[in-house]
């Protein structure tokens, strides 16, 4: 299993002084998939990326990226990866085009090849117009796009994206997501860290929740959501008698008398909804409004990592 | 994933050339630093020739004592100061660079790592050559009259490049060891001051015993005496070997220290 993984890690440990950041982390990422490491600030996401991208060395455990051991073959790992993140960046004094050309030169692309690659990437990332301006004048979204474009110059097989959309406006964030989807379609493996549940839900094939340097859960978004109860249907009634009748009839419900609402546990499937509505119609109970709530990753995250306030202190 | 182990090649020369282009572009984009660095020795030159020159020149003794003679005496020290000013800029730009995220990117790339540093070293040497040309030009305008012929000038240029090479490696280490840009601009200050505590601005035999001992044994004195000898046609003697020895020690020490610092655990 391990030999075919794009990224695998066993028992990774890392401490800075007394502070244990990673406490025995195991990972396994299949090639050509998006794997998302999800956690609050200070949970150990960036440290994991630094370890896997050979920026720092682990205190214990081992990891392989693109088939190479990060501790014993760091150069082979570096030749196969690209890193874009909070700590990886662009040269502010150079223009966008010069930044890309710098990468092309460092990957020893020929003059013509390099020029083509730079022009393609500028075009693909919508930076052609700003190509001649210094990167220091770029907006946040443009910088991230340039950053990712620089990572792609060397056609890496494994890409680490460390919080690629933190601080971006919603439109830039969606643009970044689109780019990630295109990369995966080309067969690249993406290791994505994020503190946004929505982002992991949108992009990731598998999601790992990390808390205090340990994995607390791992699976597909659907698998994780199933682990947490909380799906329900919210019914709103026109008057108190309707509410009363429905509550009596449906049994196990949570009442909100002031809002004239009932919370009925449900998996949110069409069949369950149809049964519920038929039942209410049979009793001639009037319903004003109905909304379905499936558990989202927020519920999963809060349920599995405990008190979110502790996280903020730890970060 | 393929686990076949193909030999991974490094291209230190090609990567160094790429990094040199990067550093030269930085200098072009940020010209105020270059201007400031060449301005400092020129200000000192004007100060020492026109403000102190008359008095200091009289103190040198001899029949033609005066401002003109002092200009000749002080010019080699000012020329050396041009180099120390340049390397102060090297330390600052290395420290600024290390704080940039792009260095972390270079560390995750399969490149010859030393090229990040050699780019700075060669870039600073180019900058030093330009500054030296400007400062020597101004010195000639304010009365510096060297007796050197073409051969001596070539030897002096080569010698200055060796001195620059050694001090730049030291500055690259100082820039990396600095936690902030402020520290980076302060750390090389002793190097800027050392010519004053040597034979740069006054003969060492005019100094009190303790200082004189220090002045005669510190590296800048043989360096200045060698340069003075080449430009003014004076006897150099053992100074050349002492100066080159010091340069070799400083260059090697600076290089090894820089390399060690660059390869230490990333802590950004």
């Amino acid at each position: 299993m391990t030999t075919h993984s794009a990224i695998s890690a066993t028992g990774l440990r890392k401490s800075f002084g007394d502070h244990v950041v990673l406490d025995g982390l195991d990972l396994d990422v299949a090639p050509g998939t998006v794997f998302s490491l999800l956690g609050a600030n200070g949970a150990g996401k960036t440290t994991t990326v630094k370890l896997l991208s050979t920026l720092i060395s682990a205190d214990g455990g081992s990891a392989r990226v693109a088939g190479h051991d990060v501790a014993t073959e760091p150069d082979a790992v570096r030749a196969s990866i690209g890193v874009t993140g909070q700590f990886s960046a662009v040269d502010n004094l150079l223009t966008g085009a010069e930044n890309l050309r710098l990468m092309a030169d460092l990957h020893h692309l020929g003059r013509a090849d390099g020029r083509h690659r730079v022009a393609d990437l500028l075009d693909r990332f919508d930076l052609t117009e700003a190509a001649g301006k210094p990167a220091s004048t770029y907006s946040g979204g443009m910088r991230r796009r340039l950053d990712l474009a620089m990572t792609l110059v060397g056609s890496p097989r494994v890409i680490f994206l460390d919080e690629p959309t933190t601080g971006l406006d919603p439109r830039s964030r969606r643009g970044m997501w689109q780019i990630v989807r295109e990369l995966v379609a080309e067969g690249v493996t993406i290791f994505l860290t994020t503190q946004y549940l929505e982002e992991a839900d949108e992009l990731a094939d598998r999601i790992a929740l990390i808390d205090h340097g340990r994995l607390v859960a791992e699976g597909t978004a659907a698998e994780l959501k199933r682990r947490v109860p909380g799906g329900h249907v919210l019914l709103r009634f026109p008057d108190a008698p309707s509410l009363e009748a429905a509550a009596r009839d449906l049994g196990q419900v949570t009442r909100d008398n002031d809002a004239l609402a009932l919370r009925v546990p449900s998996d949110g499937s069409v069949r369950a909804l149809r049964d519920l509505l038929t039942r209410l119609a049979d009793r001639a109970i009037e319903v004003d409004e109905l909304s379905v709530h499936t558990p989202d990753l927020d519920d999963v995250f809060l349920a599995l990592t405990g008190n979110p306030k502790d996280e903020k202190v730890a970060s | 994933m393929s686990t076949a182990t193909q030999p991974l090649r490094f291209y230190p020369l090609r990567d160094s050339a790429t990094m040199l282009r990067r550093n030269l572009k930085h200098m072009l984009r940020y010209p105020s630093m270059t201007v400031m660095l060449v301005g400092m020795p020129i200000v000192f030159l004007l100060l020492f020739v026109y403000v102190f020159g008359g008095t200091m020149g009289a103190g040198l003794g001899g029949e033609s004592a005066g401002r003109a003679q002092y200009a000749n005496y002080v010019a080699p020290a000012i020329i050396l100061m041009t180099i120390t000013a340049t390397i102060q800029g090297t330390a600052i730009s290395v420290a600024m660079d290390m704080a940039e995220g792009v260095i972390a990117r270079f560390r995750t790339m399969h490149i010859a790592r030393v090229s990040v540093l050699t780019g700075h070293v060669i870039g600073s040497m180019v900058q030093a050559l330009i500054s030296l040309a400007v400062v020597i030009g101004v010195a000639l305008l304010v009365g510096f009259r060297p007796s050197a012929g073409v051969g001596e000038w070539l030897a002096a240029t080569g010698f200055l490049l060796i001195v620059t090479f050694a001090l730049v490696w030291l500055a690259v280490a100082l820039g990396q060891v600095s936690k902030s840009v402020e520290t980076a601009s302060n750390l090389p200050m002793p190097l800027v001051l050392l010519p004053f505590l040597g034979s740069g601005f006054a003969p060492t035999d005019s100094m009190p015993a303790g200082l004189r001992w220090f002045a005669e044994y510190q590296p800048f004195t043989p360096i200045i005496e060698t340069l003075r000898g080449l430009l003014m046609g004076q006897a150099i003697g053992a100074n050349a070997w002492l100066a080159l020895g010091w340069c070799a020690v400083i260059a090697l020490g600076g290089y090894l220290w820089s390399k060690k610092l660059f390869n230490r655990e990333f802590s950004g």
Side-chain angles (χ1 to χ4, degrees):
Chain A
M1 182 173 173
T2 306
T3 46
H4 297 294
S5 303
I7 302 169
S8 64
T10 324
L12 277 187
R13 311 177 67 83
K14 181 72 182 176
S15 304
F16 295 109
D18 292 342
H19 183 52
V20 178
V21 182
L22 288 184
D23 192 10
L25 191 72
D26 298 321
L27 294 170
D28 191 72
V29 181
T33 64
V34 180
F35 183 90
S36 176
L37 194 61
L38 182 65
N41 287 335
K45 300 190 297 293
T46 297
T47 303
T48 306
V49 171
K50 285 181 179 170
L51 280 173
L52 295 176
S53 63
T54 76
L55 269 174
I56 56 175
S57 52
D59 298 338
S62 65
R64 294 180 79 79
V65 173
H68 302 284
D69 191 292
V70 293
T72 57
E73 312 162 85
D75 286 309
V77 171
R78 287 179 197 136
S80 329
I81 63 168
V83 188
T84 288
Q86 323 187 72
F87 59 86
S88 179
V90 304
D91 190 319
N92 283 314
L93 292 174
L94 300 185
T95 67
E98 284 170 342
N99 266 295
L100 289 169
R101 220 168 292 139
L102 175 68
M103 292 297 121
D105 289 345
L106 289 174
H107 283 105
H108 312 115
L109 302 183
R111 192 171 274 262
D113 275 0
R115 207 177 301 131
H116 278 137
R117 192 106 183 93
V118 169
D120 284 352
L121 285 165
L122 284 171
D123 183 51
R124 176 172 174 186
F125 286 82
D126 201 13
L127 291 167
T128 309
E129 223 171 287
K133 296 197 184 104
S136 54
T137 64
Y138 283 19
S139 71
M142 288 163 78
R143 286 176 67 88
R144 296 293 170 91
R145 293 208 300 278
L146 176 60
D147 200 330
L148 186 52
M150 286 167 74
T151 298
L152 297 185
V153 172
S155 310
R157 285 186 291 153
V158 178
I159 296 179
F160 293 92
L161 296 176
D162 190 24
E163 304 203 8
T165 64
T166 298
L168 291 192
D169 61 67
R171 199 161 151 245
S172 306
R173 176 172 301 165
R174 287 188 182 273
M176 194 59 99
W177 289 353
Q178 190 52 42
I179 291 165
V180 171
R181 288 194 193 97
E182 287 166 19
L183 289 172
V184 179
E186 291 165 19
V188 173
T189 308
I190 305 234
F191 187 93
L192 169 89
T193 78
T194 182
Q195 42 180 324
Y196 301 119
L197 303 137
E198 190 196 357
E199 186 160 290
D201 207 356
E202 281 278 333
L203 295 175
D205 296 301
R206 294 185 75 78
I207 299 169
L209 290 184
I210 185 173
D211 187 39
H212 292 108
R214 290 173 161 279
L215 282 197
V216 290
E218 206 218 305
T220 64
E223 281 167 5
L224 291 177
K225 286 175 193 170
R226 236 175 278 140
R227 290 183 53 167
V228 179
H232 62 267
V233 173
L234 193 72
L235 298 169
R236 210 178 295 279
F237 299 93
D239 45 42
S242 304
L243 174 76
E244 192 58 43
R248 212 178 311 119
D249 190 63
L250 295 172
Q252 257 200 333
V253 295
T254 316
R255 293 175 68 140
D256 183 345
N257 288 332
D258 294 336
L260 295 174
L262 280 185
R263 235 174 108 129
V264 188
S266 164
D267 60 4
S269 66
V270 174
R271 173 190 289 251
L273 285 178
R274 198 186 316 117
D275 290 351
L276 178 67
L277 291 176
T278 312
R279 196 163 168 180
L280 291 168
D282 289 349
R283 308 286 188 284
I285 298 170
E286 198 69 28
V287 182
D288 264 1
E289 202 184 306
L290 173 149
S291 52
V292 180
H293 292 262
T294 47
D296 56 15
L297 281 175
D298 274 307
D299 298 320
V300 182
F301 190 74
L302 294 177
L304 294 176
T305 63
N307 188 351
K309 272 178 194 150
D310 288 344
E311 293 298 325
K312 287 206 181 89
V313 175
S315 68
Chain B
M1 295 270 139
S2 132
T3 47
T5 41
Q6 319 143 306
L8 284 163
R9 287 201 59 190
F10 286 100
Y11 301 88
L13 289 180
R14 219 165 145 183
D15 291 350
S16 295
T18 302
M19 292 300 183
L20 171 63
R21 279 200 294 281
R22 169 173 178 262
N23 284 296
L24 291 179
K25 274 180 196 146
H26 281 190
M27 288 172 196
L28 289 175
R29 297 283 146 77
Y30 193 34
S32 57
M33 178 114 116
T34 310
V35 171
M36 199 197 79
L37 294 178
V38 72
M40 197 188 88
I42 290 176
V43 167
F44 271 87
L45 175 69
L46 298 178
L47 195 66
F48 274 90
V49 170
Y50 290 113
V51 179
F52 307 127
T55 311
M56 304 280 275
L60 286 176
E63 60 267 32
S64 65
R67 194 183 310 283
Q69 197 196 355
Y70 191 67
N72 283 332
Y73 186 84
V74 83
I78 297 290
I79 289 169
L80 194 65
M81 187 180 252
T82 312
I83 298 176
T84 56
T86 306
I87 66 134
Q88 199 177 6
T90 309
I92 292 171
S93 59
V94 167
M96 276 166 66
D97 214 13
M98 293 302 140
E100 290 274 332
V102 76
I103 294 291
R105 177 189 287 283
F106 294 148
R107 287 174 193 270
T108 65
M109 290 174 67
H110 174 66
I111 57 171
R113 284 195 157 199
V114 77
S115 64
V116 177
L117 304 180
T118 47
H120 275 286
V121 169
I122 306 169
S124 290
M125 291 185 71
V126 170
Q127 196 168 25
L129 268 181
I130 297 168
S131 297
L132 284 168
V134 172
V135 170
I136 292 172
V138 175
L140 291 173
L141 285 177
V142 301
F144 176 44
R145 294 291 173 263
S147 64
V150 176
E152 278 98 353
W153 271 112
L154 283 178
T157 308
F159 178 68
L160 286 172
L161 279 176
I162 291 169
V163 174
T164 308
F165 181 76
L167 292 177
V168 162
W169 270 114
L170 183 60
V172 168
L174 293 175
Q176 288 186 81
V177 87
S178 308
K179 290 263 181 287
S180 69
V181 174
E182 285 79 12
T183 322
S185 79
N186 289 334
L187 273 183
M189 265 322 238
L191 292 175
V192 177
L193 291 175
L194 274 179
F196 287 95
L197 305 178
S199 66
F201 295 87
T204 51
D205 48 19
S206 65
M207 297 173 187
L211 180 61
R212 179 178 170 182
W213 182 86
F214 175 79
E216 281 171 1
Y217 287 99
Q218 64 123 324
F220 280 85
T221 297
I223 292 173
I224 289 171
E225 288 307 316
T226 303
L227 188 59
R228 199 170 267 152
L230 286 170
L231 295 177
M232 304 308 298
Q234 295 170 5
I236 297 172
N239 282 318
W241 299 115
L242 270 174
L244 291 175
W246 273 113
C247 286
V249 169
I250 295 169
L252 188 67
Y255 169 74
L256 292 176
W257 190 16
S258 292
K259 219 178 146 187
K260 188 168 174 230
L261 287 169
F262 193 69
N263 285 330
R264 74 190 153 175
E265 188 101 307
F266 173 76
S267 58

